[in-house]
Amino acid sequence: MALLEIRSLSKVYQRDSQAIPVFEDIDLDIDTGEFLVLMGPSGSGKTTLLNLIAGLDEPTTGTITVGGEEVTAMSRRQLAAWRSDHVGFIFQLYNLLPVLTAYQNVELPLLLTHLSKKERREHVMTALEVVGLSDRADHFPRQLSGGQEQRVAIGRAIVSDPTLILADEPTGDLDAKSADEILTLMQRLNREFSKTILLVTHDQRAAERGEAIMHLDKGVLTR
Amino acid sequence: MKYARLIWVNLTRNKRRTILTALSVAAALFLFVALRSVNTTLDDARQVGSESRMMVRNAISVVFPLPEAYHSWISTVPGVRRVTWGNWFHGIYQDRRDFFPSFAVDVDGYFDIYPEMVVPEDQEQAFRRERTAALVGTGLMERFGWRLGQTISLTSLIYSPDQAWPFTIRAVYTPLPGWTDEAFYFHYDYLYEMSEWTQPGWYILELEDPSLAATIAATIDEHYENSRYATRTETERAYLAGIASMYGNVGLLINAVGIAVFFAILLVAANTMMMAARERASEVAVLKTLGFSDRLLFGLVLAEAAAITAIGGLLGVVGAKLLFEGTGFQGMGLLPGFEVKLRTATLGVSIAIVLGLISGLLPAWQAARLPVARTLRRVA
Ligand SMILES: Nc1ncnc2c1ncn2[C@@H]1O[C@H](COP(=O)(O)OP(=O)(O)OP(=O)(O)O)[C@@H](O)[C@H]1O
Ligand SMILES: [Mg+2]
């Protein structure tokens, strides 16, 4: 059984009386340890799909199952707990909390666990080490470069050891060199730590880092 | 608590706004606590006076005197053990704003009726012997840096204001709890000699039995009802309560101010929290992607709102306490010392916290219900 199973998934936005279909009847399986890339033109519904997988939005029809748990059947409260355990989200614009240091940003997901302060510290330092920012733990986001900020965000996404990492154009706002570092890091997460990754990108070179590329266009998903 | 830092950094990220909000709450609470303390103090004042002492005063007003001749008749009323009298002198020492209560009293009878003032035996004798001697409370001695045996000069706002009245401090009293330590007493005879028209301001009776008070009051007041100087006789407690009520209907004022204060806090705090919540919508959305539950985010916003008003409330209460107790205001020396009671302080801070929580309800609810996908799309 695949880690992620999407069945007959449709999303139709309702704006006033007008129905705006994004995609209809999508099926998708992702296996544990896969590094999958999702490409497609702007507005094709890539972000929408990621949000649905993460339980941040509700599908119009269809089901999403992750590790045997049906995400689309969960209550808001169950979804929050489930996200905390299973999903690491990486955004294009990093979305770090500006008032917290790199360390504190990475620690955020762990506040939701029962870990002690000392255990949290160990996990955070490990995550920062993986993303190569051990020496920047006490820096605030504004004291970091874009690439470093994104690495902190990746640290935050992996610190609670999630089942699934969802990345929405994580290199979209970075220069080539920084983007390269981020992609190398993600490859490492996949190979070294066996993380299952779904990466959304517009960049062909970024896409080549994945194991397989999918295209979403005009509501149709092809693999 | 592990979320404390998150609340704290949110509180301090817009320091000026947080401080201004806390200060508004502080000002409102200061007002509330101050007024409420006036009220509790006046309530206490209504309890101070003795039930076994009665005051006979002019029926028109306490500022009009009574004839000296009344003394001997009142002494014969059944149930009256002793009668003495006093007079309001309104003495000034150097600066007329530096108020303290001063009385010319019937030295032979006065201190028998008022056991609340403790005076060493030798000083009492010295005070009784000398016509210009004064008996002064410990607090007043301290306030003006006076010494026993020192001769000081007062002027009176009532008796020939230009005249200097020399007094020699012969005795210092220590008050029992509830009695002022800032009063100044001297011989009625001295006042009588220096001004031709003096009459007793009021008579003080000591009763054989407090339960006789009503009968005695009726007897005296009926006796003088049709004379030129009609009297009003009441227990000391009732008399002081009457003076206390000269300060106006404070209870009503406090209720009005209280309600205004609550609304002010509510609006100010709610406004701040709404602004903060709006600015932080995207961060709330991000926290939700990390798995922060609706309930937790609701709690975090509430806690932040309560923290602001709690800080402001504490500031206001402490400020009121310092101010009141620092000035030692005693309302003409007839009231027990002004005090911000623990009860009032606790009430004030609790109100601030509760109002903070209420003001945080709407933004907290908004944070909890925030649609993640749409919010993130708006900023991206
Ligand atoms: N809340 C909404 N209400 C109405 N329409 C929406 C809403 N959210 C998204 N859409 C529409 O759904 C479509 C898919 O949007 P989505 O953001 O998923 O695209 P995308 O593939 O991520 O695009 P991009 O590459 O630009 O990020 C777009 O046409 C968008 O306008
Ligand atoms: Mg997108």
Side-chain angles (χ1 to χ4, degrees):
Chain A
M1 198 176 80
L3 172 69
L4 173 80
E5 293 182 356
I6 295 176
R7 294 292 175 265
S8 319
L9 193 71
S10 306
K11 179 68 186 179
V12 181
Y13 283 112
Q14 202 72 36
R15 196 177 285 158
D16 302 326
S17 61
Q18 201 185 350
I20 307 168
V22 184
F23 44 70
E24 273 173 88
D25 243 5
I26 283 185
D27 293 305
L28 174 66
D29 282 4
I30 301 179
D31 288 323
T32 305
E34 260 194 287
F35 186 171
L36 215 55
V37 175
L38 176 60
M39 299 189 77
S42 187
S44 57
K46 304 181 297 295
T47 298
T48 303
L49 183 58
L50 285 195
N51 285 341
L52 290 173
I53 294 172
L56 298 171
D57 204 353
E58 286 173 25
T60 312
T61 59
T63 58
I64 299 171
T65 311
V66 178
E69 291 184 274
E70 194 184 330
V71 178
T72 40
M74 293 181 188
S75 68
R76 284 173 72 99
R77 195 163 157 198
Q78 289 170 322
L79 277 174
W82 175 79
R83 268 199 298 277
S84 160
D85 288 343
H86 296 288
V87 180
F89 221 101
I90 304 168
F91 306 88
Q92 177 174 353
L93 295 173
Y94 336 126
N95 281 339
L96 300 176
L97 266 59
V99 285
L100 298 180
T101 62
Y103 180 96
Q104 292 162 352
N105 266 289
V106 173
E107 190 189 20
L108 279 174
L110 297 182
L111 294 179
L112 304 171
T113 66
H114 294 297
L115 296 178
S116 70
K117 194 170 178 173
K118 187 163 160 285
E119 291 165 323
R120 292 204 300 270
R121 174 155 203 94
E122 284 163 13
H123 283 75
V124 172
M125 290 319 290
T126 306
L128 282 173
E129 207 166 301
V130 170
V131 299
L133 286 176
S134 304
D135 55 334
R136 299 299 173 108
D138 294 330
H139 285 51
F140 286 92
R142 64 170 181 280
Q143 298 166 323
L144 299 170
S145 72
Q148 289 169 329
E149 276 194 79
Q150 192 60 295
R151 274 147 65 191
V152 174
I154 292 174
R156 183 176 66 183
I158 62 170
V159 73
S160 51
D161 198 21
T163 319
L164 195 58
I165 292 177
L166 303 172
D168 195 351
E169 298 183 44
T171 58
D173 219 50
L174 297 175
D175 60 71
K177 185 169 165 294
S178 302
D180 212 59
E181 286 169 9
I182 294 297
L183 292 165
T184 306
L185 177 57
M186 295 192 70
Q187 249 177 337
R188 230 185 103 209
L189 291 177
N190 174 244
R191 295 198 183 140
E192 228 172 276
F193 301 92
S194 314
K195 292 283 134 202
T196 311
I197 300 176
L198 180 53
L199 168 74
V200 168
T201 184
H202 280 290
D203 178 5
Q204 188 60 43
R205 282 188 33 201
E208 282 159 12
R209 301 292 198 101
E211 294 168 339
I213 302 178
M214 299 183 299
H215 287 274
L216 182 61
D217 196 4
K218 302 196 177 68
V220 181
L221 185 67
T222 49
R223 189 167 176 172
Chain B
M1 119 114 167
K2 55 190 172 182
Y3 298 109
R5 179 167 50 214
L6 205 53
I7 296 168
W8 178 249
V9 293
N10 278 332
L11 272 179
T12 49
R13 73 165 71 194
N14 192 331
K15 288 197 189 62
R16 187 192 312 176
R17 185 169 67 202
T18 302
I19 289 171
L20 284 178
T21 305
L23 285 182
S24 310
V25 175
L29 253 291
F30 174 85
L31 208 61
F32 173 76
V33 167
L35 279 175
R36 201 177 163 81
S37 297
V38 169
N39 214 19
T40 58
T41 305
L42 293 183
D43 278 346
D44 283 357
R46 295 184 182 108
Q47 307 300 321
V48 190
S50 163
E51 285 287 348
S52 63
R53 284 191 295 249
M54 296 194 83
M55 317 284 286
V56 183
R57 62 169 175 90
N58 191 300
I60 301 167
S61 162
V62 69
V63 301
F64 295 108
L66 292 170
E68 269 171 35
Y70 283 19
H71 181 255
S72 49
W73 187 82
I74 292 175
S75 307
T76 66
V77 173
V80 174
R81 184 183 291 152
R82 274 192 272 243
V83 182
T84 186
W85 67 91
N87 220 338
W88 185 243
F89 180 64
H90 208 154
I92 302 293
Y93 181 65
Q94 290 168 349
D95 185 346
R96 68 177 292 168
R97 280 165 307 182
D98 234 347
F99 177 83
F100 59 94
S102 50
F103 306 93
V105 300
D106 155 42
V107 169
D108 290 332
Y110 200 84
F111 299 97
D112 297 334
I113 287 191
Y114 285 106
E116 284 94 338
M117 289 175 276
V118 181
V119 186
E121 181 62 31
D122 56 327
Q123 293 183 20
E124 185 178 333
Q125 294 310 322
F127 171 63
R128 283 178 187 272
R129 268 198 307 271
E130 191 174 327
R131 200 178 49 110
T132 60
L135 167 67
V136 180
T138 48
L140 196 62
M141 292 294 285
E142 202 172 312
R143 162 135 65 116
F144 292 126
W146 289 340
R147 284 169 290 100
L148 195 65
Q150 185 178 352
T151 298
I152 53 149
S153 172
L154 302 189
T155 51
S156 167
L157 283 187
I158 299 175
Y159 300 95
S160 38
D162 299 328
Q163 185 182 340
W165 297 65
F167 294 100
T168 308
I169 300 170
R170 288 299 176 207
V172 176
Y173 74 86
T174 311
L176 294 181
W179 196 262
T180 176
D181 65 353
E182 296 216 321
F184 184 102
Y185 299 93
F186 65 94
H187 291 239
Y188 179 82
D189 295 344
Y190 184 32
L191 180 68
Y192 187 79
E193 284 163 33
M194 300 278 282
S195 65
E196 303 87 57
W197 49 271
T198 293
Q199 288 176 305
W202 57 84
Y203 288 99
I204 304 126
L205 324 180
E206 188 178 77
L207 310 188
E208 280 162 8
D209 179 351
S211 67
L212 297 173
T215 325
I216 291 172
T219 309
I220 295 173
D221 291 349
E222 271 163 32
H223 182 78
Y224 291 117
E225 198 174 347
N226 296 314
S227 72
R228 251 184 84 200
Y229 298 90
T231 58
R232 167 100 179 257
T233 305
E234 53 200 351
T235 63
E236 185 177 77
R237 186 172 295 177
Y239 172 81
L240 289 176
I243 295 211
S245 66
M246 292 197 316
Y247 289 88
N249 192 343
V250 188
L252 187 71
L253 186 63
I254 288 176
N255 285 338
V257 171
I259 291 169
V261 161
F262 299 160
F263 271 101
I265 295 179
L266 212 53
L267 291 178
V268 168
N271 183 48
T272 298
M273 287 313 296
M274 297 293 277
M275 275 160 70
R278 201 159 37 238
E279 289 163 6
R280 274 184 246 147
S282 67
E283 291 179 19
V284 169
V286 170
L287 289 174
K288 286 191 177 196
T289 68
L290 299 180
F292 278 59
S293 67
D294 297 353
R295 187 188 289 213
L296 175 56
L297 289 163
F298 186 87
L300 288 174
V301 175
L302 274 197
E304 187 180 333
I308 295 186
T309 55
I311 293 169
L314 266 178
L315 277 178
V317 168
V318 170
K321 199 168 172 63
L322 289 181
L323 194 88
F324 263 127
E325 280 158 28
T327 55
F329 176 59
Q330 276 201 318
M332 317 248 295
L334 294 165
L335 302 176
F338 255 81
E339 146 179 52
V340 176
K341 291 184 182 295
L342 185 64
R343 179 157 45 93
T344 306
T346 322
L347 179 72
V349 176
S350 310
I351 287 173
I353 292 175
V354 169
L355 290 176
L357 289 174
I358 296 175
S359 74
L361 275 179
L362 184 59
W365 191 78
Q366 286 174 334
R369 303 307 301 176
L370 188 86
V372 183
R374 209 177 321 151
T375 308
L376 288 176
R377 189 175 301 277
R378 209 160 51 218
V379 282

